[in-house]
Amino acid sequence: MNKLMAYVGKYKKYALLAPLTIIGEVILEVLIPMVMAMIIDVGIQGEGGVPYTVKMGLVMVGMAVLSLVCGALAGKFAAQASTGFAKNIRKALFDKVQDFSFKNVDRFSTASLVTRLTTDVTNVQNAFMMMVRMAIRAPIMLIGAAVMAVSINPTLSLVFIIALPVLGVCIYLIMSNAHPRFEAMLKKYDGLNARVQENLIAVRVVKAFVREDYEKVKFEEAAQAVRTAQVRAEKLVILTMPLMQIMMNSCIVLVMWFGGGMIARGTFAIGELSGFISYITQILMSLMMLSVVFMMQVLSRASVTRINEVLEERIDITDETADPNLTVADGSIDFDHVSFSYSGDEKRFSLKDINLHIKSGQTVGILGGTGSSKSTLVQLIPRLYDVTRGCVRVGGHDVREYKVETLRNSVAMVLQKNVLFSGTIRDNLRWGDEHATDQEIEAACRAAQAHDFIMSFPKGYDTDLGQGGVNVSGGQKQRLCIARALLKKPKVIILDDSTSAVDTATDAKIRQAFREQLSGTTTLIIAQRVTSVMEADLILVLDEGGIADMGTHEELMQRSEIYREVFTSQQKGVA
């Protein structure tokens, strides 16, 4: 928790004001039983009479009102501090995730990151509020009430002095055993979020295959797993409450028993006994509050660990060795004995000893079977992953010499999974260039064969896409993503199977537009159709993580059995 305290930030003043007002509240609450005892012993039973009773009664009411004001202010300040603290942690987590490389993202599931940003931060927020309120209030009240009780009757105080260590040991044993159970519970939350996320993303597939009942069963299993984990964790923690009640009631019974005997012998006043019982109640209530604080700390401890795992994750792609003044001169690409493994294990290479030179402005087609590492190859160019061995150069320099922002601004990539964001079509296109004019946007959309279908919408470029672009087809989504990439005016553009959902005629028009408008841009096209790459300057044939062959269409038809088989089978399919 100490590592996260830095995120209190500008809300530190509220975090300090809350304990100060709580101290005022507690002091007043501790003094009220003493005033009440004086009213009984001096005003009612003594010589003070009604005037003294009224005067001290008004004093007690004033103290109660001041205590209420202090309590309200403490609640307000604690809420401001804790919500600000949570906001800063969420921002830090989100900012950290934005800096993640693909390898970092692979370590954490999306569902787990969502849980950490929501449930875990909420747990930490609640624990922080407990720290600035109950964790201050309870010890001060415990000490203050104990001092007042001892000052009234040291002998009778032995009752709670003996009870305190017994209770402390019991609470410690309960909390230490509860921590691993809360950790397991949060992992079940990850699983539940994963189920929900998967179902919502694939809701159309679920309905198309009429698998709603199957998904309901899966969700119920995940929800039941969360419930079971919650019950297992909380049934141990809730033992603290009956334990506290038993201890508090036992202490009160013993105080009444021994205190009543002292009153009968004339060694103890009724008002003093009343005040003593009030202090005993305050002491035991303080212990109950402390037990709640401990419970929240146990729950938040697991959440703090999970939050710190993200914040302390080492970013493997940084600008530490980059030259801030270096720019990408052209679109030439070189792979120099490049090998790559997702796990870093050199015995499990996905790419093996790739040697390749692509001239600036060339169009390169990439073919290969499923699992031949086509996407992996192109992801090394904008440094979405770092090579395990060898070197990738763009514009004549190792990609690690560029600042990541400089490199990626010069390399546009249309990923295999096309993603659009909520907002208008125009908003999404300006991801490529936030300052693009309407004319530039239209030109990019014409090149991507997207302008006509955009204008068929009533609002044209101002059409709202909805979350993830749910109201456009797969082919339309691909063309919008291509247009967005073109707006970057990149030195290198990579199309990772990004025309698979468009018809062959539209695909041909897109390739023709690329040849006419991107003559100086290096274009890499991963495709399943040979017709999409057969006019390329260079075609790579990948097989099992290596380059099986490379050349033009005519050259590969003569010497590459893999290429020839793919071409022949696809031509038969067309016929």
Side-chain angles (χ1 to χ4, degrees), residues 108-117 120 190 193-194 306:
F108 300 92
S109 70
T110 304
S112 179
L113 288 173
V114 169
T115 305
R116 293 168 202 245
L117 275 158
D120 286 322
D190 289 347
N193 283 339
R306 287 158 55 86

Side-chain angles (χ1 to χ4, degrees), residues 224-235:
Q224 181 60 40
V226 171
R227 179 187 175 279
T228 302
Q230 282 179 323
V231 170
R232 186 171 181 272
E234 292 178 10
K235 73 180 181 182

Side-chain angles (χ1 to χ4, degrees), residues 257-274:
W257 177 268
F258 293 114
M262 292 178 180
I263 290 173
R265 292 192 295 273
T267 58
F268 202 30
I270 294 175
E272 289 179 325
L273 178 61
S274 175

